[in-house]
Amino acid sequence: MISFNGLVVICLAYVAMLFAVAFTADRFARKGHSRWLRSPIVYTLSLSIYATAWTFYGAVGSAARSGLEYITIYLGPSLVMFGWWWLLRKLVRIGRSQRITSVADLISSRFGKSNLLAVLVTILSVIAATPYIALQLQSVTVSFEVFANGGGTDTGEVVGRNTAFWVAIGLAIFTVIFGTRNLDANERHHGVVMAIAVEAVVKLTALLAVGIFVVWGLAGGVSQTLEVIEASELGQWQVHGGRWAGLIFISGAAFLCLPRMFQVLVVEAADEDHLRTASWAFPAYLMAMSIFVVPIAAVGLAVLPSDANPDLFVLTLPLSQGAEGVAVLSFLGGFSSATSMVIVAAIALSTMVSNHIVMPIWLRLAGGRATISGDVRNVVLTARRVSIVSIVLLGYMYYAVSGGGSALAAIGLISFVGVVQVLPSMIGGIFWRGATRTGAVAGLVIGSVIWLYTFFLPSIGIEVFSERTLAEGPWGLGWLRPQALFGIAGLDPFLHALLWSLALNALAFFGGSVLSFPTPVERLQGAQFVNIFQHSGGPRSWSSGVAQTEDLLIMAQRILGPGEAIALFRREAERQGVRGDLPEPRPDFLETLERELAGSVGAATAHAMVGQIVGGTSVSVQDLIAVADESAQLMEYSARLEAQSAELSSTARQLREANDKLTRLSVQKDAFLSQISHELRTPMSSIRAFSEILRDSGGLSAEEQSKFASIIHDETIRLTRLLDDILDLSVMENGRVSLNMREGRLCDVLDRAVAAGSVGESDEVSLEVRRDRSTEDIVLYTDLDRLSQVFINIISNARKYCEAAKPRLTIRVREQNRALAIDFIDNGQGIPRDSRDVIFEKFARISDQRAGGAGLGLAICRQVMERLGGTITYLPGQGGAGFRVLLPRKAALAAE
Amino acid sequence: MSKRLLLIEDEPNIIEAISFILSRDGWHVASHSSGTTAMERLRAEPPDVVILDVMLPGRSGYEVLRDIRDDPSLAKIPVLMLTARGQTKDRELAERAGANLFMTKPFSNTEVLEAVRALVPAT
């Protein structure tokens, strides 16, 4: 028989192994090899902390007492896992996107970051968890006692308590070491999760080993075992439908609401997709855990003496048969169940206590300066460590005071009913946008009070409620009997407590939500939670600008640690494109920062801390809306002003332009009139002078008379031509010209122009025109007469002004991009550079030579080309005067 | 000895008309048709009277007149300005530049003759 001390050694060795596993996993994680650590299997195994010592030992006890009822405890969570798509996926998504650290944080965050709610949930959770932790300590102690008694050692209550105490201390140390290594809950506890996964395997192996030992070693096979079961009273127990339904519901609900379950299910979840695996793997695990429960119970009832505690069959059965190895394994299984539960519960609860109770108090005491001057990181860590130790010791004290009397399963149920008081707020919060803080507080308070009054306090014993109070109600008020509220007696105490507490809780939650009005932050958070799959933006905006980034950095360093905080700020600065390490305190950055901080200290606290620096502990959406409204009005007003001013300046500009145009026109008109006057008066002078001579002077020779008369004649023609040109130009400038669009060949137009341009040419100096007819075979669609007028003008100009001894004009036709270019180049001196831009102006005559023109020719050409959609430009660098006529492509139809 | 007159004008027909009228009245008429070189011609053969057109190729008649008035040897020569622009503005410009008389084209032959005679009193 193994000695008590031997068992202690085994225990210590096992614990040392767990330390090693946790330590190694942490090391691996830090080196970045967290992929394997974060597999779906590890996630699934970590969920097995649901199966505590209560399930490990108590399931057999429950089966021995109530038959298959224990199955319900497994069915509830299995149903929740099967339905992961509807509920768990949403919870995990919310938990990850909002950096939720605990159940209390979830509720608080959903209902406007209310710290009151967080405190309520925390207190409720601690009260509910304490007996449960006590239960785990008790189970370890009892299992020790079994071994000690079996070994013949005389152990009294003192030894038991000592065992419980040392176990509590050991668990506290383990949890402090691996549970508070990382401050940010979202960095997760790799070591702890891995240790829990190992313990899950140990649990399952132990229970399977005992089961196999019992079925094949004790009963002698499957059929014999079935006979034993048949023979026992197990199969005859009646099914209590209401109680079963209640148990299935409560276990499923507790699976969601238990702080430790929330910790592994949501907070430690590395990947949403792991849920997919866990949805079948975890029910499978639970099934494996439960498969041998009935055989063990039946064989235990048959084999062991009738006064044996069925809760310990798992341990006593192999021990009574001298199968020490199986017994030790079984002991380790129970030990694993107890320790893993305590560790995770302590982590979850300490997070809640430190974030929602210690930190707010500390912040208030330290005042605003503390967020930047004190070392918050140390405060948080210390608070968490102290919380862990306190919670474990609280469990120990509960155990020590209560003396560990009740059946294990009963304590489990009390705890479950307590924690599921969170359920209405949680489910309502993530599915119903109308849920409000008031409703959540009302539901939680009423549910908790009823739970305490009807279930928790009566369970403690007659120290709290005397027999008389239970039987007749306090102060003789029958309707207030704790286990028969409002006179409804005869119900199972569990069912009674569950129904009343949850029903009134839900009613208060619903009523409170409907009757109250959500604050803006609540409403935003509500939308974020309920529509988590549509939203991924931040929860709400900070008004930035007031915040001092440096202060924020100092604060963030205190909480996140200097390296990480600086990295975060630098990343943000880079993202914003700001030089240096300090980003602008823009709203989105403040939200990111707050969420990072929330991972360490909880949403409400992070909100408060950022608020202390940014100014104003909460920026209400109403404020923001008011600001937005105001600025919208301002913007509208200024937009109106701007529009008016733009209109005014546009009008002014138009006026100025009109004025300029008028002035320009007036100047032009003056210049034009003056030019016209000059051009008209000059020939008229000659006409008048010579007609007077002819009239007044006698004795003129016939020759003279004829000469003077022809001068008069010529000048009259000149006048007429001038008037024609002026009219032509005027018509064209006013756009009143109607074009006579026709089809024709370019070469024909050129032929006509060359012929007309040479009219009146003297014989001695004739202008030679060089053409390449092969290039001129192009069909045009334009006003051929007008185009011809332009050509004539250019050709006669060349004839008039080309001073070469052998004047020559080359006409080149070329297709250029989308236009047809017709170049006229003579071999004269060309036009001086400074005159080139005036030759197309009216009355521009650059040569001293009398040429008889009014200086309107090229001006008319320009107007004509404009009307035809083309241009006429001077072509420099040709060795003579060059003019280029450009016709648009549409005017030139290809000859093909 | 007949008085010498220089006609600075670029219109050949007008040159011919004025030359004909004044020659028949006993004037010795010379003509010059460029504004640019008018001053050289004036200095080379200073006339007794000048008929000056405003619109000249190269330089305007106003500029030529200003140069005449600025040149001590020519400053006293009477000048009749002819212009095809009959606006008041042009008359003022001519007076400011120092024209003795101002006439607008088309002119009456008799008026030109009388004007020239008035400018150069017979001695």
Side-chain angles (χ1 to χ4, degrees):
Chain A
M1 184 50 103
I2 193 161
S3 70
F4 179 76
N5 288 340
L7 197 64
V8 171
V9 170
I10 289 172
C11 233
L12 288 178
Y14 180 69
V15 170
M17 191 268 287
L18 287 184
F19 266 82
V21 167
F23 185 71
T24 314
D26 262 355
R27 290 261 318 250
F28 261 92
R30 210 164 311 152
K31 282 181 186 165
H33 307 296
S34 58
R35 213 167 68 87
W36 181 78
L37 299 172
R38 282 327 194 168
S39 69
I41 291 300
V42 172
Y43 178 68
T44 306
L45 286 174
S46 75
L47 294 185
S48 77
I49 57 149
Y50 175 74
T52 63
W54 178 32
T55 354
F56 190 82
Y57 293 124
V60 173
S62 167
R65 276 187 293 265
S66 330
L68 290 172
E69 190 181 281
Y70 76 94
I71 294 279
T72 56
I73 300 298
Y74 296 127
L75 275 177
S78 297
L79 289 176
V80 171
M81 286 314 293
F82 287 141
W84 67 282
W85 184 263
W86 291 281
L87 186 56
L88 279 180
R89 193 171 70 104
K90 194 163 190 176
L91 266 182
V92 170
R93 176 71 68 90
I94 291 170
R96 291 173 64 79
S97 75
Q98 299 280 325
R99 299 189 71 112
I100 299 294
T101 57
S102 63
V103 181
D105 199 24
L106 176 85
I107 301 294
S108 141
S109 188
R110 161 61 180 87
F111 296 104
K113 319 219 162 168
S114 152
N115 210 44
L116 171 67
L117 269 174
V119 169
L120 276 178
V121 175
T122 304
I123 291 173
L124 176 68
S125 300
V126 171
I127 293 176
T130 301
Y132 214 105
I133 291 171
L135 173 69
Q136 309 304 314
L137 295 176
Q138 185 191 359
S139 76
V140 175
T141 310
V142 168
S143 59
F144 261 113
E145 274 168 4
V146 167
F147 267 88
N149 287 339
T153 318
D154 182 33
T155 56
E157 209 172 287
V158 181
V159 175
R161 284 213 188 146
N162 277 344
T163 311
F165 180 74
W166 289 115
V167 169
I169 293 293
L171 286 174
I173 291 172
F174 182 90
T175 313
V176 164
I177 291 177
F178 292 103
T180 59
R181 205 153 228 215
N182 304 317
L183 189 47
D184 190 324
N186 274 37
E187 283 170 27
R188 303 195 183 86
H189 309 89
H190 295 95
V192 172
V193 169
M194 191 46 77
I196 289 166
V198 170
E199 289 195 300
V201 175
V202 171
K203 268 191 282 192
L204 184 62
T205 314
L207 208 54
L208 289 178
V210 173
I212 289 165
F213 167 75
V214 166
V215 172
W216 282 278
L218 263 180
V222 176
S223 51
Q224 285 91 335
T225 309
L226 288 176
E227 275 167 32
V228 174
I229 294 170
E230 280 298 311
S232 73
E233 295 171 349
L234 282 182
Q236 294 152 33
W237 287 102
Q238 287 192 337
V239 171
H240 189 307
R243 188 176 156 85
W244 276 44
L247 283 171
I248 291 174
F249 171 77
I250 193 87
S251 58
F255 186 69
L256 290 168
C257 300
L258 279 168
R260 65 171 198 279
M261 287 318 298
F262 191 86
Q263 178 79 26
V264 289
L265 206 55
V266 176
V267 180
E268 304 275 354
D271 195 328
E272 228 171 272
D273 274 354
H274 289 178
L275 281 172
R276 206 183 291 275
T277 310
S279 68
W280 58 264
F282 184 64
Y285 180 91
L286 289 181
M287 210 179 78
M289 284 289 281
S290 62
I291 199 157
F292 287 116
V293 166
V294 170
I296 294 170
V299 173
L301 283 175
V303 173
L304 292 174
S306 59
D307 66 334
N309 184 355
D311 283 337
L312 293 171
F313 278 179
V314 177
L315 206 55
T316 49
L317 209 50
L319 210 55
S320 69
Q321 302 303 313
E324 277 192 27
V326 177
V328 169
L329 193 57
S330 166
F331 168 80
L332 284 181
F335 185 76
S336 298
S337 310
T339 51
S340 57
M341 179 272 162
V342 174
I343 290 164
V344 180
I347 290 176
L349 289 174
S350 74
T351 305
M352 287 158 68
V353 169
S354 73
N355 282 358
H356 303 304
I357 296 179
V358 178
M359 284 311 294
I361 292 173
W362 182 81
L363 271 179
R364 187 152 305 173
L365 290 180
R369 293 162 294 115
T371 47
I372 48 174
S373 61
D375 194 338
V376 180
R377 190 180 168 79
N378 271 347
V379 171
V380 173
L381 279 178
T382 309
R384 209 162 281 185
R385 283 171 184 153
V386 171
S387 304
I388 288 172
V389 174
S390 310
I391 286 158
V392 177
L393 286 185
L394 203 63
Y396 167 75
M397 279 163 66
Y398 184 92
Y399 163 73
V401 168
S402 71
S406 327
L408 298 180
I411 293 185
L413 273 185
I414 292 168
S415 191
F416 274 21
V417 176
V419 295
V420 298
Q421 298 308 321
V422 174
L423 191 73
S425 306
M426 180 195 273
I427 302 297
I430 65 174
F431 285 108
W432 181 36
R433 286 189 61 175
T436 70
R437 195 179 80 104
T438 313
V441 170
L444 265 175
V445 168
I446 288 176
S448 304
V449 166
I450 292 172
W451 165 69
L452 282 171
Y453 184 70
T454 61
F455 208 24
F456 184 80
L457 294 180
S459 79
I460 293 177
I462 50 169
E463 291 91 357
V464 183
F465 287 146
S466 63
E467 295 282 345
R468 223 178 118 231
T469 311
L470 283 177
E472 298 170 14
W475 309 289
L477 296 169
W479 61 275
L480 272 182
R481 271 180 295 163
Q483 295 183 334
L485 273 187
F486 308 114
I488 296 173
L491 268 179
D492 184 293
F494 151 70
L495 214 53
H496 172 266
L498 177 69
L499 284 179
W500 276 121
S501 63
L502 263 192
L504 292 181
N505 178 337
L507 198 68
F509 172 68
F510 180 75
S513 295
V514 169
L515 292 177
S516 64
F517 198 72
T519 66
V521 176
E522 266 183 82
R523 214 181 290 187
L524 277 180
Q525 288 293 89
Q528 291 262 327
F529 275 54
V530 174
N531 305 323
I532 186 73
F533 292 111
Q534 288 102 61
H535 287 267
S536 30
R540 53 54 305 261
S541 294
W542 285 107
S543 64
S544 66
V546 198
Q548 298 299 311
T549 313
E550 214 167 329
D551 289 348
L552 286 171
L553 177 61
I554 293 167
M555 179 191 70
Q557 282 179 332
R558 307 262 182 255
I559 296 171
L560 304 172
E564 229 173 284
I566 290 174
L568 171 73
F569 275 60
R570 190 171 298 159
R571 262 202 315 278
E572 184 64 20
E574 249 170 55
R575 203 179 61 73
Q576 291 184 358
V578 177
R579 201 182 286 269
D581 290 346
L582 293 179
E584 299 283 320
R586 293 183 193 156
D588 56 341
F589 169 58
L590 291 177
E591 272 164 35
T592 313
L593 180 65
E594 191 191 316
R595 238 180 316 211
E596 288 287 333
L597 298 180
S600 299
V601 294
T605 306
H607 192 61
M609 290 175 105
V610 174
Q612 278 178 340
I613 291 176
V614 175
T617 43
S618 71
V619 178
S620 82
V621 175
Q622 273 160 344
D623 290 346
L624 289 179
I625 289 168
V627 169
D629 273 354
E630 208 173 309
S631 50
Q633 278 171 13
L634 273 177
M635 273 168 67
E636 199 183 319
Y637 182 61
S638 90
R640 259 205 322 268
L641 278 182
E642 219 169 283
Q644 280 175 0
S645 133
E647 211 174 306
L648 277 177
S649 63
S650 142
T651 311
R653 199 180 53 244
Q654 283 169 2
L655 280 174
R656 217 169 27 244
E657 276 169 11
N659 190 47
D660 285 353
K661 200 171 174 185
L662 283 174
T663 313
R664 256 198 329 272
L665 279 176
S666 163
V667 169
Q668 273 178 9
K669 194 192 70 184
D670 281 354
F672 183 71
L673 282 177
S674 144
Q675 280 286 356
I676 291 284
S677 166
H678 178 262
E679 296 300 325
L680 291 175
R681 283 170 191 271
T682 303
M684 277 159 68
S685 300
S686 305
I687 294 168
R688 182 172 178 183
F690 282 108
S691 47
E692 279 182 10
I693 290 169
L694 286 175
R695 185 192 65 193
D696 301 334
S697 319
L700 287 175
S701 66
E703 209 174 300
E704 276 174 330
Q705 279 186 16
S706 146
K707 185 184 172 192
F708 295 162
S710 71
I711 287 176
I712 292 170
H713 177 254
D714 287 352
E715 292 287 28
T716 317
I717 289 172
R718 180 179 165 193
L719 258 181
T720 315
R721 199 169 58 233
L722 180 67
L723 284 171
D724 285 347
D725 281 357
I726 287 169
L727 285 174
D728 204 13
L729 195 62
S730 159
V731 162
M732 234 161 344
E733 279 184 339
N734 291 327
R736 284 197 304 256
V737 66
S738 53
L739 295 176
N740 177 19
M741 305 295 277
R742 283 187 294 141
E743 239 180 65
R745 280 145 50 86
L746 177 63
C747 54
D748 296 341
V749 180
L750 282 171
D751 283 346
R752 258 204 319 278
V754 169
S758 308
V759 167
E761 198 167 63
S762 53
D763 289 339
E764 67 248 42
V765 191
S766 78
L767 179 73
E768 177 198 354
V769 178
R770 287 191 178 174
R771 289 165 63 187
D772 181 359
R773 288 181 175 277
S774 67
T775 60
E776 293 168 3
D777 189 19
I778 290 171
V779 179
L780 303 174
Y781 180 75
T782 186
D783 188 324
L784 298 175
D785 296 332
R786 286 292 186 182
L787 187 61
S788 161
Q789 183 188 357
V790 172
F791 292 165
I792 291 169
N793 222 305
I794 298 170
I795 294 168
S796 59
N797 274 356
R799 187 169 57 80
K800 278 186 273 185
Y801 302 117
C802 183
E803 287 151 345
K806 285 188 174 173
R808 186 173 65 234
L809 180 72
T810 311
I811 301 176
R812 277 203 308 248
V813 178
R814 214 162 4 141
E815 300 209 24
Q816 206 188 42
N817 294 331
R818 284 151 185 270
L820 184 68
I822 304 138
D823 295 346
F824 298 84
I825 298 150
D826 67 24
N827 59 346
Q829 290 183 325
I831 293 168
R833 184 178 296 274
D834 53 350
S835 303
R836 281 172 199 166
D837 49 350
V838 301
I839 51 176
F840 294 105
E841 299 301 325
K842 293 186 281 272
F843 306 111
R845 261 194 312 247
I846 56 163
S847 104
D848 297 352
Q849 219 179 345
R850 292 285 347 127
L856 289 173
L858 285 175
I860 290 172
C861 287
R862 190 175 63 170
Q863 284 294 331
V864 170
M865 288 318 297
E866 218 169 87
R867 298 281 162 248
L868 297 183
T871 55
I872 174 167
T873 48
Y874 184 75
L875 203 58
Q878 301 297 323
F883 288 91
R884 164 163 294 177
V885 173
L886 270 181
L887 269 176
R889 199 75 190 83
K890 63 179 166 59
L893 309 167
E896 65 265 22
Chain B
M1 183 184 163
S2 61
K3 300 278 179 185
R4 284 171 303 142
L5 180 143
L6 182 64
L7 173 61
I8 305 175
E9 165 67 74
D10 62 331
E11 270 284 327
N13 289 340
I14 294 178
I15 295 171
E16 178 142 16
I18 290 177
S19 302
F20 180 82
I21 300 159
L22 292 179
S23 306
R24 289 193 32 154
D25 196 47
W27 293 81
H28 176 72
V29 180
S31 72
H32 188 84
S33 51
S34 160
T36 327
T37 52
M39 285 307 289
E40 281 99 82
R41 176 74 185 265
L42 278 162
R43 287 192 189 106
E45 311 163 26
D48 296 310
V49 65
V50 175
I51 297 180
L52 181 60
D53 185 29
V54 173
M55 299 278 283
L56 289 170
R59 284 181 96 208
S60 86
Y62 301 125
E63 286 170 291
V64 176
L65 179 54
R66 224 167 282 130
D67 283 357
I68 292 171
R69 295 297 176 234
D70 286 348
D71 189 321
S73 62
L74 303 173
K76 295 239 163 64
I77 297 178
V79 174
L80 165 65
M81 283 213 87
L82 283 179
T83 176
R85 293 174 176 177
Q87 286 157 313
T88 331
K89 194 178 66 186
D90 301 304
R91 184 178 291 272
E92 281 169 7
L93 267 173
E95 278 168 6
R96 211 172 307 140
N100 299 76
L101 274 173
F102 180 91
M103 290 182 78
T104 308
K105 294 177 186 173
F107 45 84
S108 141
N109 293 352
T110 331
E111 277 174 27
V112 172
L113 200 55
E114 280 165 7
V116 171
R117 281 184 189 144
L119 284 175
V120 187
T123 44

